[in-house]
Amino acid sequence: MGIHFQDIKSQFQLDPAVTYLNHGSFGACPLQIFENYQYWQKLLEQQPVKFMTETGPAQIEISKKALADFITCDKDDLVFTPNPTYAINIIAKSLKLNPGDEILSTDQEYGAMDKTWNYYCKHSGAIYKRFHISLPVSNHDEFADKLLSQVTSQTKVIFISHITSPTALIFPVEKICQKAREMGIITIVDGAHAPGHIPVDITKMNPDVYTGACHKWMLTPKGSSFLYVKRTLQSTIDPLVISWGYDSDHPGKSQFLDYHTQQGTRDYSAFLTIPAAIEFRQKFNWNEVSMQCRKLVKQSLPIFSELLGSPPLSPTNDEWLGQMFSLRIHTKDSVLLKSKLLDNFNIEVPVMSYHGNNYIRISIQGYNDQSDLDNLVSAIEKLTVSGDLTVGDHKDHYIV
Ligand SMILES: Cc1ncc(COP(=O)(O)O)c(C=O)c1O
């Protein structure tokens, strides 16, 4: 028997009064997985010492194995972090950057990551080089070639999103990693949006470093992310927080695991929910749910493009798009428009100002259906009449 939309929707804890079209920012956790989270938290409080020293660490291994199988890598090459920014800070701190070294990236990266690289470049004299991506993009091969043409003898690292935050585009990270490897350049992939959203196969991609969030599209509670580092680089990675794992009195399997696993007292229950999240996905046939969401993306994008007078940022296909899409939106005040959508229409959807353009990013998750998109269409029509936004003319609106 098939699973119906209402069965899926009822699994989530979202306020039914809100049209929720922003799974991308912080995810949303189904009750069943959230209860597993609370189960671990209660177990911790029943016997904190036993949990912190025995049950928890054993359970972390089970969770890491489940995650490693999900993203195809070895569990001993993974450590948990609260979020991807934390993971990239570990890496940026550890790279021995010299004056003039270049970190080649794009102008589509997440703001907190830009700040991290700016900080470490400022302190080392290295250069954070953000290659301008001209929109619309056309195909993955051309994109990878253009980015790689920016490599110079100073390029030490390529840092790139797997799926971008402002524009919701899937980047060709596998090809970029392959070419960079041939050129001896370190690859660091920000996959915050990828696990549980699109297939992630770390072994096939073969990056040097990959970080992803489980609390977005894998549906775990917040504060559950990971850092993967290729075995040959692990000994060069310093802990962000110096704790008992540094110069450990009881060394474990590797320095990498010692340094990044013991980080002072913290509640790591969110990490332990990964097996429950994977089980949930299997129970509700999430591959099928995801496919339905992608279908809705492809149906809706042309409608919103027409409504906003704004051309698509990429071809509308599986190469570039998963369960989110962004379009340029013409408004003088993105913050005001975002709050009007929520305050006047009960619609949660991000409107982001990015490098001089405003974008609306629409996420479609299993709990969304056509009625959510219809609500947004109707709100946009009303806001156009009231002058809060204007309709573009489909010409090239992008800053090139
Ligand atoms: C591309 C990208 N990287 C990283 C992040 C992670 O952010 P944080 O570390 O603040 O959870 C996000 C969050 O939306 C993102 O979109």
Side-chain angles (χ1 to χ4, degrees), residues 24-25 83-85 110 113 161 163-165 190 192-193 215-216:
S25 283
N83 52 63
T85 308
Y110 185 62
M113 302 300 182
S161 290
I163 303 181
T164 59
S165 168
D190 173 2
H193 282 281
H215 51 239
K216 289 185 192 277

Side-chain angles (χ1 to χ4, degrees), residues 221-261:
K222 313 294 166 265
S224 168
S225 299
F226 65 88
L227 169 66
Y228 160 90
V229 179
K230 191 180 276 181
R231 192 75 52 102
T232 47
L233 275 185
Q234 288 175 4
S235 63
T236 65
I237 309 299
D238 287 334
L240 194 59
V241 174
I242 310 300
S243 183
W244 290 102
Y246 182 73
D247 247 345
S248 177
D249 299 333
H250 308 284
K253 276 189 195 160
S254 74
Q255 175 187 287
F256 174 69
L257 297 172
D258 288 344
Y259 277 11
H260 306 282
T261 303

Side-chain angles (χ1 to χ4, degrees), residues 355-389:
H355 298 319
N357 285 322
N358 292 315
Y359 296 97
I360 185 164
R361 189 186 70 196
I362 299 167
S363 297
I364 301 187
Q365 184 50 298
Y367 49 76
N368 294 120
D369 71 354
Q370 186 60 47
S371 68
D372 296 320
L373 297 154
D374 294 344
N375 288 348
L376 183 58
V377 167
S378 152
I380 287 175
E381 283 169 349
K382 289 186 182 123
L383 288 163
T384 307
V385 171
S386 65
D388 287 284
L389 58 90

